[in-house]
Amino acid sequence: MKVLLTGGSGFLAVHCLDALLKHGHDVVVTVRSDEKGQYLQELFKGKPFSYVIVKDIGAEGAFDEAVKTDPPLGAVLHTASPFHFKITDNKKDLLDPAINGTTGILKAVHRLAKSVRSVVITSSFAAISNYSNPPKVYTEEIWNDQTMDEALNTTNPQAAYRASKKFAEKAAWVFMESQKPSFTLTTLCPPMIYGPVLHQVKSLDDLNVSSARILRLYQGIQRSGPAGSLMHVDVRDLALAHVLAIDNPRALNQRFLMVAQLASEKELRDIMEKNFPEIRGHLKDEATDALPPFGIDNSKSVNVLGINYRPLEETIVDAVKSLKALGA
Ligand code: NDP
C-alpha cells in the first residue's frame, strides 16, 4: 500500500518509515528540506521510498500536493508537530502548526485523496493529561483539561506544548464528526519516547526532546526543573503501533494510550550504570526512585493492537548506544 508519512525527518518518524518499509509498504514522506530527504534516501537506499518538501505544516494547503501520489495513497501517518521548548509565541510556534497541521492533513486527504482508508495521528499523553488532578489510573477516556486561554497565555513552554497536542487531537476528532470523511482515524497517545536515534542529528545540542533527556541522564548533567514524565514507550514499539493501526479493523476510530510502564529516574540511571561501566560514579545523585502518584492502563494497546512492549533495559541500552555512536 502507498502510505504518506509526515514529518519524516523526526526521531519517531524515521522508525515509522523503517516499520512501514519492513511491512512491505511503499512510502512517501514529507520533510522540510532536500538535505533531510537525502539523508533518508541514503539511510533507506534501494527501498520503495520518496520524499516531498512541506516547509510548514501549518500553512494553508500545505499538504495539497503531497497527498496526490501515483499509485494513490491508501493510508496516512501524521507524526509532524513541533516538539521543542524554544518558544517565543505559544500560538505561532506551537498551537498553529500543531492544530492547523492536523486539520490541514485531514482536509487535504478528504478533498484530494479519496483512496485513503485510514489516517493515524501521533497524539500524546499530553492530550490526556496536564498532570493536574490525576485520577487513580489513566485510560483513553481521559482528556487534558487545559483551556485555550491557558494555552495562549501560559509562560511555561511545556504547558504550551501539552496544550498544542490536546487541541490538535481534539480538532481531529471534531473534523471526523463534522465532515464524516470516507477514511477512519486512529490516534496514539505516547508519553516520553525513548530508544535508538536513527534520524539526522548534526549536533548533540540539537537532539529531539526525549532523547536529550536520556543524554542528560547518561552524562550526569543536573536537570534544571522537576523530573518530568516518569513513563515511556520504546520508539520501535510505537512505530510498529502506527503501522499495525492502519489496517486493524478494531483500531479504526479509536484512541490508544501507548505507555510501556512507569519508571523512576533511578531505574533509568541504574540500567545505564549496569550496562555502561564507564559512567559509574559520574552520575549525579539527583535521580530519585519516586514514581508518579497514578497508574496507567495500557491494556487496550496490548489487546487490540497486539503490542508486546519491550523491557525498559533494552530501550535504554539501545538509546545510549546510539547516542554514543553520535559522540556522547
Ligand atoms: P521531532 O522533533 O524529532 O520530530 C518532529 C517532526 O515534525 C520533525 O520532522 C519536524 O521537522 C516536523 N515539524 C515540526 N514542526 C513543523 C512545521 N511547522 N512544519 C513542518 N514540519 C514540522 O519529534 P519526535 O519525533 O519526538 O515527535 C514526533 C511526534 O510525536 C510529534 O507529534 C510529537 O508531539 C509526538 N510525541 C513525541 C514524544 C517524545 O517523547 N518524543 C512524546 C509524545 C508525543 P524538522 O525536524 O525539520 O523541524
Side-chain angles (χ1 to χ4, degrees):
M1 182 192 299
K2 185 95 173 174
V3 181
L4 177 70
L5 168 66
T6 70
S9 57
F11 166 58
L12 167 65
V14 181
H15 286 274
C16 290
L17 175 54
D18 187 44
L20 283 165
L21 293 169
K22 283 179 177 150
H23 279 75
H25 296 297
D26 174 352
V27 190
V28 53
V29 307
T30 71
V31 287
R32 294 170 107 166
S33 68
D34 267 317
E35 190 199 350
K36 292 183 182 191
Q38 276 158 19
Y39 172 85
L40 293 174
Q41 226 147 34
E42 192 54 37
L43 198 60
F44 296 100
K45 208 184 263 173
K47 301 278 164 57
F49 150 77
S50 62
Y51 69 87
V52 289
I53 308 282
V54 173
K55 280 193 189 323
D56 180 9
I57 53 171
E60 188 67 37
F63 293 108
D64 285 4
E65 289 312 311
V67 298
K68 295 179 202 157
T69 62
D70 181 19
L73 293 173
V76 174
L77 305 188
H78 179 57
T79 76
S81 203
F83 186 17
H84 59 81
F85 304 126
K86 296 167 209 140
I87 308 304
T88 53
D89 179 328
N90 294 355
K91 181 167 159 33
K92 211 162 90 348
D93 299 333
L94 287 174
L95 293 159
D96 282 353
I99 299 168
N100 299 342
T102 299
T103 52
I105 187 71
L106 296 176
K107 282 182 197 163
V109 171
H110 186 40
R111 274 194 307 121
L112 303 165
K114 296 287 183 202
S115 53
V116 170
R117 294 202 311 269
S118 57
V119 175
V120 181
I121 293 181
T122 319
S123 184
S124 173
F125 185 77
I128 288 184
S129 171
N130 188 33
Y131 297 104
S132 54
N133 307 316
K136 263 201 178 121
V137 176
Y138 278 106
T139 68
E140 288 84 0
E141 306 306 313
I142 298 173
W143 278 89
N144 172 345
D145 60 5
Q146 284 173 292
T147 63
M148 184 50 91
D149 203 38
E150 285 166 21
L152 290 168
N153 296 307
T154 179
T155 53
N156 174 343
Q158 281 91 351
Y161 166 73
R162 286 195 288 273
S164 78
K165 296 303 287 182
K166 175 237 174 116
F167 286 106
E169 191 191 338
K170 272 273 178 217
W173 289 117
V174 168
F175 179 94
M176 296 302 289
E177 192 57 40
S178 64
Q179 302 302 309
K180 307 219 174 324
S182 50
F183 57 83
T184 58
L185 175 67
T186 304
T187 59
L188 303 179
C189 300
M192 291 304 263
I193 309 170
Y194 298 142
V197 172
L198 287 182
H199 66 292
Q200 186 179 28
V201 176
K202 287 189 173 166
S203 148
L204 285 174
D205 296 335
D206 293 333
L207 263 183
N208 63 292
V209 168
S210 51
S211 302
R213 185 155 187 253
I214 298 296
L215 179 67
R216 180 186 66 70
L217 272 173
Y218 174 73
Q219 294 183 328
I221 295 169
Q222 202 86 17
R223 64 175 139 75
S224 49
S229 171
L230 297 172
M231 49 192 152
H232 70 279
V233 62
D234 189 288
V235 68
R236 295 161 291 191
D237 295 338
L238 181 62
L240 178 64
H242 282 73
V243 178
L244 296 179
I246 290 176
D247 46 21
N248 179 335
R250 292 173 64 210
L252 310 180
N253 296 318
Q254 297 292 318
R255 185 184 203 214
F256 291 91
L257 179 49
M258 300 297 308
V259 180
Q261 65 172 89
L262 305 178
S264 70
E265 271 193 324
K266 187 164 181 322
E267 275 179 84
L268 266 59
R269 193 188 68 172
D270 287 350
I271 288 172
M272 288 183 192
E273 287 200 339
K274 177 179 151 212
N275 289 280
F276 303 99
E278 74 271 16
I279 60 168
R280 274 183 206 151
H282 292 180
L283 297 178
K284 298 277 187 298
D285 288 334
E286 69 164 14
T288 71
D289 54 10
L291 280 170
F294 51 77
I296 291 285
D297 180 356
N298 66 3
S299 56
K300 189 172 166 183
S301 64
V302 172
N303 296 334
V304 175
L305 291 176
I307 299 301
N308 179 15
Y309 290 105
R310 259 159 241 260
L312 177 62
E313 183 156 359
E314 185 180 339
T315 302
I316 298 304
V317 167
D318 290 350
V320 172
K321 277 185 186 162
S322 74
L323 294 175
K324 286 179 71 169
L326 289 168

